[in-house]
Amino acid sequence: MFGFMLWLVLLFLCWPLALLALVLYPLFWLITLPFRLIGIGVDGLFEVLRAIVMLPARILGGSPR
């Protein structure tokens, strides 16, 4: 009987959290989307800079990583 009552309390307490997460997750995804896009751009910029810095070594016969 105690297990059933514990299950009812858990059901009562958790369904609002589940609905809240269901509603807030798309909003959180939309808010963080610009930061992810900026991160992709910065990563690409660093890769270009790395390629420019490593170009002389590659031309002189250094092995690629």
Side-chain angles (χ1 to χ4, degrees):
M1 185 68 180
F2 179 71
F4 180 68
M5 293 300 284
L6 188 63
W7 185 83
L8 286 176
V9 169
L10 188 64
L11 175 68
F12 178 75
L13 292 177
C14 288
W15 74 265
L17 292 176
L19 287 177
L20 187 67
L22 192 65
V23 169
L24 290 181
Y25 181 75
L27 292 174
F28 178 76
W29 188 84
L30 284 174
I31 290 170
T32 59
L33 185 62
F35 297 109
R36 282 185 265 163
L37 293 175
I38 290 170
I40 291 169
V42 169
D43 188 43
L45 178 67
F46 282 141
E47 286 296 321
V48 168
L49 289 175
R50 182 179 177 276
I52 291 171
V53 169
M54 295 296 189
L55 184 62
R58 293 185 67 165
I59 289 174
L60 293 175
S63 61
R65 65 173 172 144

